[in-house]
Amino acid sequence: MPTDTNRFIPYTPIELDDSTRMDRSRQLLETMRKRRSIRSFSAEDVPFEIIENIVMTAASAPSGANKQPWTFCVVSAPAIKRQIRKAAEEEERLSYETRMSEEWLEDLEPFGTNWQKPFLEVAPYLIVVFKKPFDWVNGKKKKNYYVNESVGIATGFLISTIHQAGLVTLTHTPSPMRFLEKILERPDNERAFLLLPVGYPAPGVQVPNIRRKKKEEVLKVYEGRRQKSKEAP
């Protein structure tokens, strides 16, 4: 084990017994099964501290060489949200009319989506996730590693925390997204990765009646060690 106390510190695990771990895992599973993508938001405000805590939870995600190659831009200014909506809808309109294949449009049809994105103005917050292929350190360009993987993991933390905080979101990816870099005046080492409206759901909102894949379709077990029995002491 490493002994350099300047570079390593003790890890403090969460101490739980197996019964509590089982209960927590089941509770988390049931909580996350209720998560859905929402396209109709309430305009009701959300305390900023909640959003800040959510973002900082996402920023605690692991990353390649601990480079933390992300920036989370939180937008609540109505004028900026309006700019983002206008630019996003223009890209989406072009996509629906000229870029998307017939097969793609057919796959989207059950969800009732179109190029219009009013939620970008209605939701009290937009969180724009930027990835950073490199950083500037003392005037020198420093490469970041596993950028897409790292930012993808952080985004997973973000979406999970939003849901567990009792809020809703939608992973919105108008393509291309370079307009976000321009509107938010981001530096040249940042690239837009994902746009998420965040807030409370609109009253009476409905969601598509989808089916998630069964356990047998997504979980493959290669057992090498005997599993503990539930009845084991």
Side-chain angles (χ1 to χ4, degrees):
M1 295 179 62
T3 57
D4 186 342
T5 56
N6 292 320
R7 295 173 53 209
F8 295 91
I9 60 174
Y11 170 66
T12 304
I14 299 174
E15 298 288 351
L16 302 172
D17 57 50
D18 281 354
S19 176
T20 304
R21 289 191 182 96
M22 188 72 73
D23 288 342
R24 285 200 179 186
S25 69
R26 287 170 177 157
Q27 291 168 8
L28 181 59
L29 173 59
E30 290 307 309
T31 297
M32 295 308 297
R33 276 179 169 168
K34 296 176 182 177
R35 187 212 58 81
R36 296 298 302 271
S37 295
I38 299 298
R39 292 177 171 82
S40 296
F41 287 77
S42 165
E44 182 182 352
D45 194 21
V46 175
F48 178 73
E49 186 178 355
I50 297 175
I51 301 299
E52 185 176 42
N53 290 338
I54 287 169
V55 168
M56 295 314 296
T57 299
S60 74
S63 60
N66 194 38
K67 292 292 187 175
Q68 304 168 62
W70 46 61
T71 300
F72 301 88
C73 293
V74 178
V75 181
S76 61
I80 300 177
K81 289 198 294 181
R82 193 171 303 116
Q83 279 185 278
I84 291 174
R85 177 186 176 181
K86 181 179 178 181
E89 286 187 333
E90 178 59 22
E91 294 295 348
E92 291 285 78
R93 184 183 63 79
L94 290 172
S95 292
Y96 273 84
E97 293 179 357
T98 65
R99 296 168 179 161
M100 292 179 176
S101 66
E102 287 298 320
E103 181 180 12
W104 191 349
L105 292 171
E106 288 175 8
D107 285 340
L108 287 175
E109 194 278 330
F111 302 98
T113 61
N114 58 45
W115 62 267
Q116 295 174 307
K117 310 297 176 184
F119 52 76
L120 294 175
E121 282 193 88
V122 176
Y125 291 98
L126 303 179
I127 299 178
V128 187
V129 184
F130 287 89
K131 64 180 182 180
K132 300 168 71 175
F134 62 93
D135 278 306
W136 291 108
V137 180
N138 297 324
K140 294 184 178 181
K141 190 174 182 179
K142 296 289 187 178
K143 181 181 178 181
N144 292 327
Y145 310 101
Y146 298 105
V147 173
N148 287 331
E149 294 85 349
S150 299
V151 179
I153 293 168
T155 299
F157 275 40
L158 183 67
I159 294 168
S160 176
T161 308
I162 289 169
H163 177 65
Q164 292 183 69
L167 302 176
V168 295
T169 190
L170 170 71
T171 52
H172 185 45
T173 53
S175 182
M177 292 193 287
R178 300 301 301 269
F179 64 86
L180 291 167
E181 299 155 27
K182 182 177 180 180
I183 291 173
L184 298 178
E185 300 180 344
R186 302 312 305 156
D188 65 354
N189 65 326
E190 294 188 4
R191 299 288 180 270
F193 185 82
L194 197 63
L195 169 59
L196 299 100
V198 181
Y200 301 111
V205 65
Q206 293 187 324
V207 294
N209 185 16
I210 61 172
R211 180 192 76 85
R212 290 192 170 95
K213 290 183 177 181
K214 297 179 181 178
K215 178 169 64 176
E216 295 76 16
E217 298 177 90
V218 300
L219 174 62
K220 304 298 178 185
V221 179
Y222 299 80
E223 190 172 9
R225 223 168 34 164
R226 183 180 178 84
Q227 298 296 311
K228 288 185 179 180
S229 168
K230 293 180 182 179
E231 291 75 33

